[in-house]
Amino acid sequence: MALDRRTFLGTSAALTAALAAPMVRAQATPRVVVVGGGAGGATAARYIAKDSEGAIDVTLVEPTRTYYTCFFSNLYLGGFKEIEDIGHTYGGLAANGVNVVHDWAIGVDRDARTVSLAGGASLPYDKLILSPGIDFVDGAVPGWDISAQNAMPHAYKAGSQSELLKAQLMAMPQGGTYAMVAPPNPFRCPPGPYERVSMVAHYLKANNPTAKILIADPKEKFSKQGLFEEGWANHYGGMVERVGPDFGADNVEVDPTAMTLSIDGVVENVDVCNVIPAMKAGRIAELAGVTDGRWAPVNAADMSTKADPDVYVLGDAAQQGDMPKSGFSANSQAKVCANAVRGALTGSRVFPAKFANTCWSLIETNDGVKVGATYEATEEKIAKVDGFISATGESAEVRKATYEESEGWYAGIVADMFGASA
Amino acid sequence: MRLAAASLSLAAALSIVAVGVSAQGLGDAAAGEKVFDECKACHQVGPGARNRIGPHLNGLFGRKAAGLEGFHYSDSLRRAGTNGLEWHADTLHAYIENPRAFASGTRMSYRGLKDPEERADLLAYLRGYSDAPIDIPEADPTATATDHDLDPAILAIVGDPEYGEYLSGECTTCHQADGNVDGIPSITYWPEEDFVVAMHAYKNKQRSHPVMQMIAGRLNDEEIAALAAYFKDIGN
Ligand SMILES: Cc1cc2nc3c(=O)[nH]c(=O)nc-3n(C[C@H](O)[C@H](O)[C@H](O)COP(=O)(O)OP(=O)(O)OC[C@H]3O[C@@H](n4cnc5c(N)ncnc54)[C@H](O)[C@@H]3O)c2cc1C
């Protein structure tokens, strides 16, 4: 094993050298390129490299050196985590034999099987895995575009956006209004906006108790609604107001300069405006020509795209069926994909696809809830098999245990994505 | 919270071997006093009973598992209590027969009392030291004296560790592969039998954690054996 590992590290050093001088490598080892080092991409890259023990060259393309998890970024807003707690680097992946390239993928030539990078390099692949997460749909919220993200942050990609939103929250005048424009389905992390409202309320209750939270929501219903509404009533009585489509919240407009939000023509002055627009697959999926509409349709058995059997799409960007767009789902899909890709390239055993998801949300200190399900691959889609959800009225002890479990899960998934040293 | 659902499916799902215990769960208290010799090294019951190696067993029926203040329970049994495990004839039968089925990391190092008749007698004896024993049903409606042990054929399945490695991907999202514990227990380096027993206890809903019930619920016997074979000696 030790010897294997040394030879392997040798190869990957050679690979780095080859990359530095972009030229065609005469090499029989099959090549996998992974674009996006988040929940889906980091997991897929790590599993393929770790399990193939050098039989496959794995290159991960990811522009940022520190990945801030969206999961637990709401807890950062609430003051339960520091920003460093949710930042992770890629050293553990390199130790697992993944060649990490910090750059943007800007194009895919599916005929030549190459990925072009902003830095000028071109990476050849036998199998390409895209896990680019989400981008926002242009014009989804009239008055808002990506250039307005500093005035009206989305904080739906974690990191500087999360820090900005937190700074705005802390700077709110006493008795001010925190507004959220919630997204239409389907979107990343269905309970995410509502967990965020809970965490904002937790902060305001202690620091700005006369403040208000206003949610403009184009959806009639939302994830874990009963649990959230029970929690808001119990912990934050009267602070949270949600306007649904029945009162015109499917017709909103914002003005980032005047800091106003208009709901069905009624204009409100707000102090923070957290705009979470409609979403679509990360742009590289579209550039690769594997999307149909906003998302990339995939085959449930291995996450290969309907458009190209050698291009796979994981996580939020994929249109796969019943799984919610979550980090847990992306991680689960990545492991199924890794097994299939390895099988296709090296003949290793391929096992049937099994998927699972659980999403925890924190409503108030030690008041955690969860929803989860298992899934299988059918011809048509990833189909739900079985599921569960926390009950309303559970004991404080169960809710505390649920929260502690979510801490355990966070440590687990991060180790699973980045390797134990992350 | 009573484990009505749990006991129902426990009776339904475990290989049931109906035994000829008259009182359907509780037996002869006088005979039970002798059986209690098995427990005396660690437990006291009756007037003035105190916690020793094990917790005192007064007022046991209806008590939450790991429910005594001031006794240092294992995390395992404490978790089971948080998940809703309460002591009644049915759950006590199962715990005493095989303590590890309920709580793999239980500190009760006792191999289990396999004879259902002895267990029934013992429970009748202990019931006498619970409040108002008259009000305690002789046996929970759904509980018959069942054989809670796993079918030996299931334990005999030889797992395929390579398949187990693949399946383990579903576990390591929560259970850290290097055995670290941050709120979810470690499942690495377990003896295979303990692992199989624990997984079937979730599958049969004998253990009441919803996530693990769901996950174990769709694993078949071979898959559980494969996981056990893999986790028994995974390194880093
Ligand atoms: C507030 C909030 C709370 C959440 N809470 C939870 C939770 O509790 N549990 C849960 O399971 N999920 C949660 N999620 C959802 C979870 O974060 C996402 O579903 C998950 O990150 C999706 O994984 P992914 O691999 O598809 O995308 P991401 O994790 O977003 O990774 C995409 C990566 O691709 C990179 N990338 C994009 N384009 C390119 C390109 N062209 N070239 C190179 N790299 C590129 C990006 O830099 C990024 O690092 C939450 C999300 C939010 C916003």
Side-chain angles (χ1 to χ4, degrees), chain B residues 45-60:
Chain B
V45 72
R50 291 190 305 126
N51 293 335
R52 303 293 303 271
I53 296 172
H56 75 72
L57 298 179
N58 289 345
L60 183 63

Side-chain angles (χ1 to χ4, degrees), chain B residues 183-205:
Chain B
I184 292 182
S186 165
I187 57 170
T188 57
Y189 297 113
W190 279 35
E192 272 176 284
E193 178 167 338
D194 286 359
F195 194 97
V196 170
V197 165
M199 291 302 283
H200 281 277
Y202 287 116
K203 190 174 163 74
N204 298 330
K205 305 211 182 335

Side-chain angles (χ1 to χ4, degrees), chain A residues 62-251:
Chain A
E62 163 62 50
T64 66
R65 280 167 198 277
T66 303
Y67 173 84
Y68 290 94
T69 58
C70 270
F71 25 110
F72 276 20
S73 68
N74 288 328
L75 274 64
Y76 158 71
L77 280 181
F80 292 87
K81 298 283 162 208
E82 300 298 324
I83 195 78
E84 305 81 62
D85 296 338
I86 61 168
H88 305 275
T89 54
Y90 291 90
L93 283 184
N96 273 275
V98 176
N99 178 49
V100 181
V101 177
H102 288 297
D103 203 344
W104 282 97
I106 52 166
V108 174
D109 182 336
R110 289 200 276 121
D111 295 324
R113 299 197 191 198
T114 55
V115 177
S116 47
L117 305 187
S122 169
L123 303 177
Y125 68 80
D126 296 296
K127 296 282 189 187
L128 172 63
I129 299 174
L130 304 176
S131 193
I134 51 114
D135 272 312
F136 300 110
V137 173
D138 291 335
V141 175
W144 193 93
D145 64 29
I146 203 74
S147 71
Q149 69 172 352
N150 289 340
M152 293 189 167
H154 50 80
Y156 236 64
K157 296 181 182 183
S160 57
Q161 276 278 305
S162 321
E163 291 181 287
L164 177 64
L165 183 61
K166 180 154 187 179
Q168 293 187 355
L169 173 64
M170 292 168 73
M172 262 173 71
Q174 289 296 312
T177 299
Y178 178 105
M180 170 187 282
V181 178
N185 291 323
F187 62 101
R188 152 178 286 189
C189 194
Y194 311 97
E195 180 187 57
R196 174 170 299 169
V197 163
S198 309
M199 291 295 93
V200 167
H202 168 82
Y203 174 84
L204 293 175
K205 184 176 162 185
N207 298 287
N208 190 347
T210 54
K212 292 278 175 219
I213 301 173
L214 172 65
I215 313 169
D217 201 334
K219 303 178 293 301
E220 266 164 34
K221 293 188 178 142
F222 63 89
S223 169
K224 301 189 228 181
Q225 184 160 0
L227 294 165
F228 280 114
E229 288 178 346
E230 174 194 57
W232 295 341
N234 286 348
H235 303 301
Y236 312 117
M239 184 180 269
V240 181
E241 184 193 354
R242 174 172 170 272
V243 181
D246 41 348
F247 289 93
D250 49 351
N251 175 24

Side-chain angles (χ1 to χ4, degrees), chain A residues 331 335 349 352 355 375 405 408, chain B residues 160 166 169 173 182 209 218:
Chain A
N331 169 269
K335 287 178 271 196
R349 284 169 72 187
F355 306 91
Y375 305 85
E405 226 171 270
Chain B
D160 168 358
Y166 167 69
T173 310
D182 293 278
H209 192 272
R218 68 155 171 179

